């Protein structure tokens, strides 16, 4: 069970959250000018490291705000948590 | 080859890796072993090594729920899974071993009006694809599965189910060992404790692999590494549309026979069968987060058991004896990636997500053909890496039966 430190509510049980995948995926500034490969990269390709991963969690059953969490994907240690920089950028469930 | 090892009662030799092979398969799960077997049996390529970082078939092949079915929605998926099912039907004969293959049927429950529509649509699609499929009303479901609570008071009431009578289960260890033994008999080197750490290249062409036991040359390398594929591909500078997730399952103690078919519930993320020895085998949906830890969160087990007890009240008497997790590689469309890569000589078989076991012989035969001929097998063509650029996805989330 993960204990996720919500920046606003403190450490809370994982079951209160929804997962939002990799953080800091910016929506393209000029989507119409992207090539198919660049659009595919934006839509479908994400980092998948075995190690530290910066990912978004949504505190669905709490303050209903997003945070960026740094977590280790092999031993599942949660290192840090902070409000999302610039807010959510799409791709997650609301 | 002198089969000396047979006199020792061993199923396969454990040879030292040689300096080079015609082809190297990375990963000795079901897909890797099947690929090696079909390369040797059908393409005359016996100069092959299967490289395994740990022990043979100890990853997802040892951690699945053994379910086999082919009732997928889209023609591309139906074709490759049905190809696999047909191979399953003759596999005990082909490999000359008992695999405890049991054609006991599978029901996919529909528990909302939306699921009813999707399910009826999938039955119609399957019939058009030549796959056995039936729509069952709740009374028919109750007749097939008397322990299932089909009453209206259930939180997600059973409104019907799709039924594939030819589906079933097979013993995953026996399947792995049979492919391993037959591949070994045909001359394939199965090398355990040999982790691939990188690749040897000549420009855009692969010439071999770097391993924890030294470099091994090979002009063709097939990746069958499931949840670890992204890591390997990164060594090639190849970025893949994969996310690795824990997928959990559990077993109960040995019980009297209460369930003689396989029942899956997408709405509540629980699927169950009863193994021949008597234990209930329950699978869950993936844990939502990325993970390589071969373990997931207890909340997934809790949700899965709560759902199972509501659907099958008699399960309240059972105990959870053991839980485990594999690492599954999930694509955005819940369909596999099979075929060549931008690096000449490197072939991908990955992205099977939660559905890889049932495809084992089909994936192996199709992938072997792809490697031997240097182009995607016709059944693999829709599953190329390029589909994420063209947008021609094979969206199987509805038929995957497990939440992705």
């Amino acid at each position: 069970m993960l204990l996720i430190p919500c920046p606003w509510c403190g450490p809370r049980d994982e079951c209160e959250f929804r997962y939002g995948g990799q953080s800091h995926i910016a929506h393209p500034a000029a989507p119409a000018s992207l090539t198919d490969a660049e659009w595919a990269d934006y839509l479908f390709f994400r980092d998948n490291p075995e190690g530290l991963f910066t990912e978004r969690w949504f505190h669905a059953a709490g303050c209903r705000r997003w945070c960026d969490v740094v977590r280790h994907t092999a031993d599942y240690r949660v290192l840090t948590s902070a409000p999302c920089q610039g807010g959510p950028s799409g791709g997650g469930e609301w | 080859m002198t089969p000396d090892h047979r006199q020792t009662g061993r199923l396969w030799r454990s040879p030292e890796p040689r300096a080079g092979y015609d082809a190297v398969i990375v990963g000795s799960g079901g897909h890797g072993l099947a690929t090696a077997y079909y390369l040797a049996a059908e393409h005359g390529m016996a100069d092959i090594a299967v490289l395994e970082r740990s022990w043979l078939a100890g990853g997802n092949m040892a951690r699945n729920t053994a379910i086999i079915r082919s009732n997928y929605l889209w023609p591309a998926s139906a074709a490759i899974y049905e190809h696999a099912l047909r191979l399953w039907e003759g596999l005990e004969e082909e490999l000359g071993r008992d695999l405890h293959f049991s054609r006991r049927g599978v029901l996919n429950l529909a528990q909302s009006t939306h699921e009813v529509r999707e399910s009826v649509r999938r039955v119609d699609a399957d019939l058009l694809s030549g796959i056995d499929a039936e729509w069952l009303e709740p009374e028919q479901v109750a007749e097939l599965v008397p322990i299932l609570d089909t009453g209206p008071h259930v939180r997600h009431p059973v409104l019907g189910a799709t039924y594939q009578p030819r589906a079933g289960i097979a013993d995953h260890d026996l399947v792995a060992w049979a492919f391993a033994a037959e591949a070994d008999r045909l001359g394939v080197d199965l090398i355990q404790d040999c982790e691939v750490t990188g690749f040897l290249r000549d420009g855009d062409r692969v010439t071999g692999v770097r391993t924890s036991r030294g470099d091994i040359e090979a002009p063709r390398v097939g990746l069958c590494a499931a949840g670890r594929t992204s890591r390997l591909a990164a060594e090639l500078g190849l970025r893949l549309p994969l996310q690795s997730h824990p997928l959990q399952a559990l077993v109960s103690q040995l019980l009297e026979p209460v369930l003689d078919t396989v029942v899956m519930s997408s709405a509540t993320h629980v699927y169950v069968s009863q193994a021949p020895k008597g234990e209930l085998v329950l699978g869950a949906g993936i844990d939502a987060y990325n993970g390589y830890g071969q373990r997931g969160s207890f909340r997934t087990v809790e949700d899965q058991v709560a759902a199972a007890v509501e659907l099958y009240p008699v399960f309240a008497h059972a105990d959870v004896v053991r839980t485990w997790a594999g690492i599954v590689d999930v694509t955005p469309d819940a369909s596999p990636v099979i075929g060549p890569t931008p690096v000449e000589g490197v072939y991908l078989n990955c992205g099977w997500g939660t559905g890889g076991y049932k495809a084992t012989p089909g994936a192996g035969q199709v992938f072997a053909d792809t490697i031997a001929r240097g182009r995607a097998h016709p059944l693999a063509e829709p599953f190329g890496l390029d589909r994420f650029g063209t947008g021609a996805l094979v969206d199987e989330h509805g038929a995957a039966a497990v939440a992705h």
Side-chain angles (χ1 to χ4, degrees):
Chain A
M1 183 74 77
L2 303 180
L3 197 59
I4 297 171
C6 173
W8 295 279
C9 309
R12 306 294 297 184
D13 197 304
E14 169 200 340
C15 65
E16 295 183 10
F17 292 80
R18 284 197 195 140
Y19 189 60
Q22 185 180 357
S23 295
H24 310 310
I25 305 292
H27 191 271
S33 68
L34 297 190
T35 64
D36 285 352
E38 288 166 336
W39 186 244
D41 188 62
Y42 166 68
L43 276 186
F44 299 126
F45 288 70
R46 297 290 181 267
D47 294 344
N48 189 24
E50 182 180 18
L52 295 181
F53 191 46
T54 307
E55 59 193 17
R56 299 178 310 153
W57 288 87
F58 177 55
H59 199 182
C63 61
R64 299 195 63 79
R65 285 193 274 194
W66 289 89
C67 57
D68 283 335
V69 171
V70 177
R71 188 180 57 92
H72 198 286
T73 61
D75 62 19
Y76 302 165
R77 267 178 308 143
V78 174
L79 277 83
T80 64
S81 167
C84 272
Q85 295 292 319
S89 54
E93 285 178 87
W94 283 81
Chain B
M1 191 195 78
T2 34
D4 287 339
H5 58 293
R6 301 224 133 199
Q7 292 158 13
T8 68
R10 290 177 187 275
L11 288 174
W12 53 83
R13 302 160 294 133
S14 289
E16 286 298 309
R18 297 208 307 270
Y21 293 90
D22 284 345
V24 156
I25 306 299
V26 184
S28 74
H31 286 204
L33 294 169
T35 300
Y37 166 76
Y38 286 111
L39 276 171
E42 298 187 344
H43 299 280
M45 286 179 65
D47 187 26
I48 297 169
V50 181
L51 307 181
E52 169 58 49
R53 65 191 283 267
S54 180
W55 66 86
L56 189 134
N60 293 350
M61 192 60 175
R63 296 158 188 274
N64 65 75
T65 50
I67 298 166
I68 296 161
R69 61 188 180 91
S70 65
N71 53 350
Y72 279 69
L73 175 64
W74 299 108
S77 321
I80 196 163
Y81 285 109
E82 177 63 12
H83 178 67
L85 181 50
R86 284 170 199 255
L87 288 172
W88 279 113
E89 290 172 329
L91 203 59
E92 291 184 322
E93 200 176 335
E94 161 124 21
L95 300 178
R97 284 158 203 277
D98 184 7
L99 306 175
H100 293 179
F101 178 58
S102 162
R103 222 174 310 182
R104 58 181 60 192
V106 63
L107 288 88
N108 292 77
L109 303 179
Q111 294 169 275
S112 66
T113 49
H114 170 74
E115 264 197 301
V116 170
R117 288 189 203 109
E118 282 294 309
S119 301
V120 170
R121 178 192 181 204
R122 187 159 48 75
V123 166
D124 290 343
D126 283 342
L127 290 174
L128 288 171
S129 292
I131 290 169
D132 58 321
E134 296 171 33
W135 168 253
L136 303 182
E137 296 294 339
E139 311 79 57
Q140 296 169 290
V141 176
E143 214 168 289
L144 270 175
V145 192
I147 60 166
L148 182 66
D149 189 343
T150 52
H153 50 274
V154 173
R155 171 66 183 83
H156 299 284
V158 175
L159 304 177
T162 70
Y163 182 44
Q164 183 179 24
R166 284 164 60 240
I169 56 175
D171 186 301
H172 49 98
D173 287 332
L174 295 181
V175 172
W177 299 338
F179 272 121
E182 285 306 288
D184 176 277
R185 193 178 61 78
L186 294 169
V188 172
D189 280 1
L190 306 176
I191 302 170
Q192 306 177 70
D193 231 343
C194 181
E195 180 168 13
V196 171
T197 56
F199 296 85
L200 307 173
R201 293 172 68 153
D202 178 7
D204 283 340
R205 202 162 53 83
V206 76
T207 59
V209 291
R210 292 193 179 285
T211 82
S212 55
R213 291 167 69 174
D215 292 353
I216 299 173
E217 290 184 1
R220 283 178 268 207
V221 178
L223 303 185
C224 292
R228 304 190 69 82
T229 307
S230 292
R231 290 212 43 180
L232 285 166
E235 297 294 332
L236 287 163
L238 204 58
R239 199 160 184 244
L240 299 176
L242 299 175
Q243 298 282 283
S244 295
H245 290 271
L247 176 66
Q248 301 194 69
L250 63 87
V251 287
S252 74
Q253 76 274 46
L254 308 185
L255 298 165
E256 294 294 315
V258 290
L259 182 65
D260 62 1
T261 183
V262 182
V263 188
M264 314 187 76
S265 161
S266 289
T268 62
H269 310 320
V270 68
Y271 44 101
V272 60
S273 68
Q274 188 170 20
K277 272 187 301 182
E279 65 265 50
L280 297 168
V281 183
L282 279 82
I286 60 168
D287 279 73
Y289 50 80
N290 291 24
Y292 284 83
Q294 288 188 322
R295 62 193 169 89
S297 293
F298 187 70
R299 57 90 52 103
T300 306
V301 173
E302 209 172 11
D303 290 350
Q304 167 194 13
V305 169
V309 170
E310 172 145 35
L311 281 172
Y312 316 87
V314 70
F315 286 4
H317 299 289
D319 295 317
V320 174
V321 170
R322 193 165 58 89
T323 77
W324 66 89
I327 312 171
V328 297
D329 44 333
V330 176
T331 58
D333 60 358
S335 288
V337 176
I338 316 162
T341 67
V343 182
E344 196 188 328
V346 176
Y347 299 90
L348 277 178
N349 171 60
C350 62
W352 288 92
T354 60
Y357 175 75
K358 68 174 79 69
T360 299
Q365 195 187 44
V366 163
F367 195 43
D369 182 83
T370 298
I371 294 170
R373 296 174 196 270
R375 56 95 185 93
H377 181 284
L379 289 175
E381 276 172 14
F383 299 106
L385 199 49
D386 59 346
R387 73 178 186 270
F388 299 97
T390 62
L393 304 186
V394 187
D395 183 5
E396 281 295 351
H397 284 278
V402 179
H404 278 83

